[in-house]
Amino acid sequence: MDKSQGLTPQSRFFRSDEAVILSVDRLQMRYGGKRAVETLDDFSLDVHKGEFICILGPSGCGKSTLLSVVAGILRPTGGSVTMNGRPITGMDWHRTLMFQSPTLYPWLSAYDNVAFGPRMRRMPRAAVDERVRRYLELVGLTEFAAAKPYELSGGMKQRVALARALVSEPSVILMDEPFGALDAFTRTNMQVLIRDIWRKHNNTLLLITHDVDEALALASRVVVMSARPGRLVGMFDAMFSHPLTGTAEDDAVRASDEYVKLRRAILNLIDTGEGKNR
Amino acid sequence: MTDDLSTGPRGRRFGLWAVTGLTVAVILAAWYLASNVFSASPLFLPSPQSVWKAFLTICATQYKGYTLWQHLGSSLQRLMLAFGLSVVTAVPLGLASGYVPWIKAIWEPIIEFYRPLPPLAYYTLLVLWMGIDNESKVMLLYLACFAPIYVACASAVMRIGQNYLRNARVLGARRGQVFLHVILPFALPEIFVGMRTALGVGYTTLVAAEMVAARSGIGWMVLDASNYLRSDIIFVGILVMGVTGILLDRVIRLAEAYFVPWKGKDY
Ligand SMILES: Nc1ncnc2c1ncn2[C@@H]1O[C@H](COP(=O)(O)OP(=O)(O)OP(=O)(O)O)[C@@H](O)[C@H]1O
Ligand SMILES: [Mg+2]
């Protein structure tokens, strides 16, 4: 296969012709309390069905806050979020959020943690078992199915949390720095896994990361936020998701002019914090 | 078990047991010396032998109609009945109070009001209302056990990390399911703390409960013996109560270790 082929924009990844599934409209978020801080300011974003959006931005700019609002955990102080045209009024498993720190239940084994969601939704026993096994296998934890969270390493916990978020195959998956505690090798494996799942199930993903390479490896679109108050300062259609395979061939892609240029542009934008399109 | 350098190897456990054993031995020896060698008055300090003899006597024959074990048995029966009732009522109510503000608004003032009251202050009222039989005693113990469990449960819910609750909802659990499948297990460590406190408070209240119109009970036995200045019986009663208290506490701690294996660990 011609390696440069993946670098040209491919309509397969440019999904603006798909219906808008999530619409974030002039979102404002101000936390109460003594030091009331404007966290999100006038943030708008339309997410099309089947997109894989990676959100980049400096620490404390409101990325986690944004996901909490989209998940229906926090009520915004201004603006609105709609899913399929209907305003979001609360939490819902169709928009699963994987939290920044793994929130596994310590009394449940890895298996039972992953099975938690399907069981709560009263999925038939056999179906639960099939799914949970499949997803534990995918994150490489079959052997540790019976282990309790305190018997797992930090990275393993994160993989259980990942399996737990994916197991219900929700239409929108929100992930807050899901690969933070993983070593480079496992990280790449998980990136490949999540990308394959996205391809296969055509779900919509919003993933926060502070790693530009991760964003470029995964996203169909990269969104850059400014320092607090977080606003949208840049958007890039990234087409590298396809050619990156988690093998040595990646190096060639990452050395290509187009990749380097895009990477530079994104880093500059995060660095200066001020977008040209303010 | 693995050795953890921050807490010391488990092997030292044995050493600690030896220290505890030695402490008990020293106290017993001091007691023996004080009564036998320095001949303290048997009224103030009965000798270990006489206490042992009294123990054997009331085990085999009776003290005022009942053997020691029957006294202990009727006390424990009251205590366990009250304790069991308080666990099955205070746990759900306490957890619900922590989870649903208006439930807390109803119950907290009532419990906050009666909790600091000395049990004897309202015991007379309970006797007037419920009679001098077992009911009023069990009720008194029930009230004593209820408050600590309720308070522990209500504060346990407050301490659960928000994201653990949200996570359940985001995975598709309804509010009721969150209560049963997340809040209850998360509160287990505090429930056990509350239960241990409750058992301690209940046990102390026991003597008070048996002061009025009882005919049996270990607390009653001690109080009755003190009317006749039977120091040996008082000693037997106190020792039996102390040991029983330790054993009950142990049982709860064993249950805790079984049900809360994650306690004190990172998860
Ligand atoms: N519950 C809260 N109450 C008050 N302020 C909050 C709260 N949560 C977040 N903030 C503030 O909102 C801002 C954005 O927080 P947020 O967690 O969304 O940042 P982030 O972009 O996810 O950062 P990071 O990359 O470090 O995770 C921060 O300045 C923080 O102090
Ligand atoms: Mg964050």
Side-chain angles (χ1 to χ4, degrees):
Chain A
M1 188 179 113
D2 179 10
K3 291 211 180 76
S4 67
Q5 186 194 346
L7 302 183
T8 53
Q10 294 173 0
S11 55
R12 171 175 151 65
F13 293 106
F14 192 68
R15 291 172 187 269
S16 56
D17 50 333
E18 289 268 11
V20 171
I21 185 165
L22 271 176
S23 176
V24 182
D25 187 30
R26 281 165 296 157
L27 197 65
Q28 279 195 326
M29 191 66 204
R30 171 197 287 275
Y31 283 103
K34 273 196 201 114
R35 304 175 298 111
V37 273
E38 195 78 47
T39 299
L40 290 173
D41 187 27
D42 206 27
F43 186 99
S44 297
L45 179 70
D46 277 348
V47 181
H48 302 268
K49 191 169 181 317
E51 271 195 300
F52 193 147
I53 293 188
C54 282
I55 302 170
L56 286 164
S59 180
C61 74
K63 304 184 294 295
S64 297
T65 306
L66 174 68
L67 283 205
S68 298
V69 173
V70 173
I73 291 169
L74 295 177
R75 191 187 298 278
T77 46
S80 68
V81 185
T82 53
M83 180 166 167
N84 293 323
R86 277 188 298 276
I88 286 169
T89 53
M91 292 171 257
D92 180 346
W93 73 269
H94 294 291
R95 288 184 316 280
T96 286
L97 170 59
M98 181 182 164
F99 289 88
Q100 192 161 3
S101 50
T103 50
L104 301 179
Y105 299 124
W107 57 91
L108 297 179
S109 65
Y111 181 99
D112 292 329
N113 262 293
V114 177
F116 184 88
R119 279 180 185 158
M120 291 299 112
R121 296 188 289 104
R122 305 200 194 292
M123 191 188 268
R125 193 182 276 261
V128 174
D129 188 62
E130 187 276 318
R131 288 246 191 144
V132 173
R133 281 173 197 285
R134 183 149 49 89
Y135 277 89
L136 278 177
E137 165 105 58
L138 284 174
V139 297
L141 287 175
T142 304
E143 276 177 74
F144 290 88
K148 294 278 171 67
Y150 55 85
E151 296 166 326
L152 299 171
S153 73
M156 288 161 131
K157 280 179 218 170
Q158 222 164 5
R159 283 186 277 157
V160 176
L162 182 65
R164 186 174 64 170
L166 298 175
V167 74
S168 295
E169 296 171 359
S171 50
V172 174
I173 304 176
L174 312 165
M175 292 196 274
D176 199 343
E177 300 192 20
F179 309 128
L182 302 179
D183 60 280
F185 180 71
T186 318
R187 199 182 168 95
T188 312
N189 282 344
M190 291 302 114
Q191 288 170 350
V192 171
L193 165 68
I194 194 94
R195 218 181 44 199
D196 290 348
I197 287 173
W198 167 60
R199 286 248 178 76
K200 199 163 134 212
H201 296 290
N202 198 33
N203 25 28
T204 310
L205 277 91
L206 263 75
L207 183 146
I208 293 173
T209 175
H210 49 238
D211 179 351
V212 180
D213 288 313
E214 178 167 284
L216 288 174
L218 294 174
S220 59
R221 186 148 61 118
V222 177
V223 166
V224 182
M225 286 171 74
S226 68
R228 214 185 63 225
R231 55 180 92 211
L232 199 149
V233 289
M235 243 177 340
F236 302 85
D237 282 314
M239 304 306 161
F240 299 100
S241 184
H242 187 58
L244 290 173
T245 53
T247 62
E249 290 165 38
D250 291 3
D251 295 345
V253 177
R254 294 206 164 119
S256 67
D257 274 356
E258 201 174 347
Y259 188 95
V260 172
K261 250 195 259 164
L262 188 52
R263 188 174 189 278
R264 194 69 260 157
I266 293 173
L267 282 173
N268 278 340
L269 193 54
I270 298 172
D271 220 26
T272 55
E274 300 290 295
K276 287 174 214 104
N277 51 348
R278 255 189 84 171
Chain B
M1 282 285 156
T2 45
D3 280 3
D4 184 336
L5 293 181
S6 65
T7 55
R10 298 284 162 164
R12 277 192 210 151
R13 276 263 172 102
F14 178 75
L16 292 178
W17 276 107
V19 172
T20 309
L22 199 66
T23 313
V24 175
V26 167
I27 293 172
L28 284 177
W31 180 15
Y32 182 84
L33 287 178
S35 55
N36 289 276
V37 180
F38 302 102
S39 47
S41 153
L43 181 61
F44 298 130
L45 189 70
S47 69
Q49 307 94 298
S50 67
V51 170
W52 180 247
K53 231 179 81 196
F55 173 71
L56 293 180
T57 312
I58 55 176
C59 277
T61 62
Q62 292 172 343
Y63 182 81
K64 304 273 168 91
Y66 298 100
T67 66
L68 174 64
W69 305 120
Q70 286 168 331
H71 282 300
L72 185 64
S74 65
S75 286
L76 287 182
Q77 208 184 343
R78 288 169 189 143
L79 184 64
M80 284 302 122
L81 186 59
F83 179 72
L85 282 175
S86 67
V87 170
V88 298
T89 51
V91 169
L93 201 62
L95 294 179
S97 292
Y99 194 39
V100 187
W102 63 262
I103 298 184
K104 184 181 190 140
I106 294 176
W107 287 98
E108 204 178 53
I110 301 175
I111 286 143
E112 289 298 309
F113 173 77
Y114 93 79
R115 193 162 70 105
L117 296 178
L120 282 185
Y122 54 84
Y123 185 37
T124 326
L125 290 176
L126 293 179
V127 171
L128 285 175
W129 294 337
M130 308 180 73
I132 54 172
D133 295 330
N134 243 356
E135 285 88 343
S136 58
K137 294 178 180 54
V138 171
M139 188 65 187
L140 184 77
L141 295 181
Y142 170 77
L143 289 174
C145 293
F146 184 91
I149 299 179
Y150 172 89
V151 171
C153 289
S155 76
V157 179
M158 300 292 172
R159 260 190 275 169
I160 301 174
Q162 282 285 309
N163 283 353
Y164 286 91
L165 303 180
R166 290 165 173 168
N167 198 73
R169 301 273 288 138
V170 153
L171 291 172
R174 287 186 301 276
R175 275 175 74 88
Q177 289 179 314
V178 173
F179 189 78
L180 198 64
H181 295 280
V182 182
I183 291 184
L184 178 64
F186 247 122
L188 274 180
E190 269 99 344
I191 292 177
F192 277 106
V193 172
M195 274 164 49
R196 286 176 67 188
T197 318
L199 207 54
V201 174
Y203 213 53
T204 351
T205 314
L206 192 62
V207 179
E210 289 172 351
M211 274 172 87
V212 179
R215 235 169 254 297
S216 67
I218 192 89
W220 174 83
M221 190 187 86
V222 170
L223 285 167
D224 189 76
S226 59
N227 289 338
Y228 300 94
L229 300 179
R230 288 289 306 274
S231 303
D232 50 347
I233 302 285
I234 298 178
F235 262 65
V236 172
I238 289 174
L239 287 174
V240 168
M241 278 195 264
V243 171
T244 314
I246 292 174
L247 289 179
L248 289 175
D249 194 60
R250 258 312 130 75
V251 170
I252 298 192
R253 270 158 64 178
L254 282 177
E256 179 178 22
Y258 179 78
F259 286 109
V260 193
W262 68 89
K263 186 167 183 168
K265 296 182 180 133
D266 291 326
Y267 48 85

